[in-house]
Amino acid sequence: MNKLSGHHHISMLTKNGRQNNHFYTKILGLRRVKKTVNQDSPSMYHLFYGDLTGSAGTELTFFEMPVAGRTVRGTNAITRIGLLVPSYESLHYWKGRFQELEVEHSDITTYAGKDALFFEDHEGLRMVLLNHHGQETPTQWQPWEGNEIPEEHRILGMGTVEITVRYLQRTVNLLQDLFHYTVVAENDQGTVLQSIEGEVLGEILVKELEGPSEKPGKGSIHHLAIRVATVEELQEWDTKIKELGLTSTGVVDRYYFQSLYFRDRNGILFEMATDGPGFTVDSTVDELGKELDLPPFLEEKRAEIEAILEPLE
């Protein structure tokens, strides 16, 4: 079985799509690459932000839930998202930008062995910018140029993702034994694992915390998706997950990619998703994210869906 090639996307909850769209496009400078709906509940937006084409490994996605309350932080949850920036100077640029735009942030510090700048979005979603030291990124990653962020400081894609659990070894063992992640560090912060040793693009920091489980709400993280090359590999992983006694949804056609979902023994929700066909299956690169795109099985309900959704701009 081929090794996994890093993060695919990460999905969160937002209470207000318009405010969410403003933060991620105007403040972070990401491109909205797909404006669609939750396929299981099409009355709510599903918004995707990332690089020029929404390449795997750059995608931050949000389900709009207007009834969402506040997140009550706790354990057994995905608790922080790392985003890569080109340099240490980039961290200084973003610190100044966050000060100017009144974004909650820390001083420049370190995290998982890297120069770091912690910050939160307007709903309390915890993130951290990480210095990538000018290292190469996947050739398909192409930062979005349609923003005011200087080229040398644009966000590149996803880095370390933090998972906080009550029983650390349950999640670490799953990542090691089933998915062949490599442990690269163990310290008082937790255990750092990489899907490709030496590459932060698929890095996960697992932390241990006793206490009540997180109560999700606005600004909470719903699931982490891991990249799988093909549908055939996805089906093989489905078999292996079930052989461990875990419950899998089986392969689900999400139109833009094929997926499966399962929870580990701490209750963390993982998705495994294929790279293709991608967001250009129903849109040109230039038109990505501008109009409401629906998978074919929802197209007949377009008028009904559009009547429910609030405009984002």
Side-chain angles (χ1 to χ4, degrees):
M1 174 122 8
N2 293 338
K3 280 185 71 72
L4 299 169
S5 49
H7 307 317
H8 188 282
H9 67 267
I10 191 163
S11 294
M12 286 68 68
L13 305 182
T14 181
K15 187 177 181 69
N16 185 289
R18 183 177 297 180
Q19 294 174 2
N20 178 269
N21 181 72
H22 174 81
F23 187 90
Y24 288 90
T25 62
K26 303 302 182 185
I27 295 179
L28 293 192
L30 302 178
R31 186 182 194 187
R32 190 179 75 211
V33 291
K34 190 59 62 177
K35 179 170 69 169
T36 186
V37 295
N38 182 339
Q39 294 181 16
D40 300 319
S41 182
S43 62
M44 68 174 71
Y45 275 121
H46 192 184
L47 306 174
F48 292 76
Y49 308 97
D51 69 349
L52 176 67
T53 60
S55 303
T58 72
E59 302 166 35
L60 307 182
T61 98
F62 291 84
F63 302 107
E64 185 193 40
M65 298 184 66
V67 298
R70 68 182 183 92
T71 297
V72 180
R73 294 177 178 176
T75 193
N76 286 351
I78 305 170
T79 45
R80 194 179 306 276
I81 304 166
L83 300 174
L84 303 176
V85 293
S87 67
Y88 190 80
E89 290 71 28
S90 299
L91 297 179
H92 279 283
Y93 166 81
W94 283 99
K95 188 174 189 299
R97 182 171 176 82
F98 289 159
Q99 287 174 331
E100 178 185 349
L101 298 177
E102 299 182 344
V103 174
E104 186 74 26
H105 67 283
S106 70
D107 290 327
I108 295 174
T109 181
T110 58
Y111 176 75
K114 305 164 190 66
D115 304 318
L117 177 66
F118 293 93
F119 72 102
E120 295 182 4
D121 77 358
H122 58 294
E123 294 181 310
L125 175 61
R126 289 172 283 183
M127 290 176 279
V128 58
L129 296 178
L130 302 171
N131 177 9
H132 200 44
H133 292 283
Q135 296 177 38
E136 291 185 3
T137 56
T139 54
Q140 70 268 25
W141 286 15
Q142 302 175 69
W144 170 234
E145 296 180 356
N147 58 54
E148 64 182 25
I149 312 300
E151 180 180 0
E152 66 272 20
H153 299 314
R154 289 176 187 146
I155 291 170
L156 302 170
M158 291 172 61
T160 309
V161 171
E162 177 185 293
I163 300 176
T164 303
V165 292
R166 192 174 291 117
Y167 303 107
L168 181 140
Q169 214 55 49
R170 289 182 180 179
T171 296
V172 169
N173 287 348
L174 176 81
L175 294 171
Q176 270 191 293
D177 299 342
L178 177 60
F179 296 122
H180 308 299
Y181 278 65
T182 301
V183 172
V184 295
E186 294 180 275
N187 51 46
D188 56 359
Q189 281 192 324
T191 301
V192 180
L193 303 99
Q194 294 177 342
S195 57
I196 301 174
E197 193 168 358
E199 293 283 355
V200 72
L201 315 176
E203 186 169 278
I204 295 175
L205 169 61
V206 185
K207 300 172 67 173
E208 192 167 58
L209 177 68
E210 294 184 357
S213 296
E214 178 177 284
K215 181 181 177 182
K218 60 182 181 180
S220 65
I221 300 172
H222 188 261
H223 66 265
L224 170 65
I226 301 168
R227 287 179 66 188
V228 176
T230 65
V231 177
E232 290 73 25
E233 285 187 26
L234 194 61
Q235 291 166 337
E236 292 176 23
W237 286 116
D238 183 49
T239 299
K240 288 188 173 295
I241 290 166
K242 290 173 179 174
E243 286 174 350
L244 279 182
L246 300 173
T247 300
S248 164
T249 60
V251 176
V252 180
D253 183 358
R254 292 303 189 195
Y255 188 52
Y256 304 110
F257 40 80
Q258 305 282 322
S259 295
L260 67 80
Y261 304 81
F262 72 96
R263 292 186 185 273
D264 79 348
R265 299 193 191 282
N266 281 305
I268 302 300
L269 182 60
F270 290 95
E271 178 181 358
M272 305 187 78
T274 59
D275 283 358
F279 294 126
T280 55
V281 69
D282 60 358
S283 177
T284 66
V285 172
D286 288 343
E287 295 299 313
L288 281 172
K290 293 183 179 179
E291 303 298 332
L292 179 69
D293 289 324
L294 298 174
F297 78 94
L298 287 176
E299 194 59 51
E300 64 182 22
K301 297 181 179 180
R302 175 175 288 275
E304 176 186 337
I305 290 169
E306 288 181 337
I308 296 171
L309 300 172
E310 295 287 336
L312 293 179
E313 282 85 15

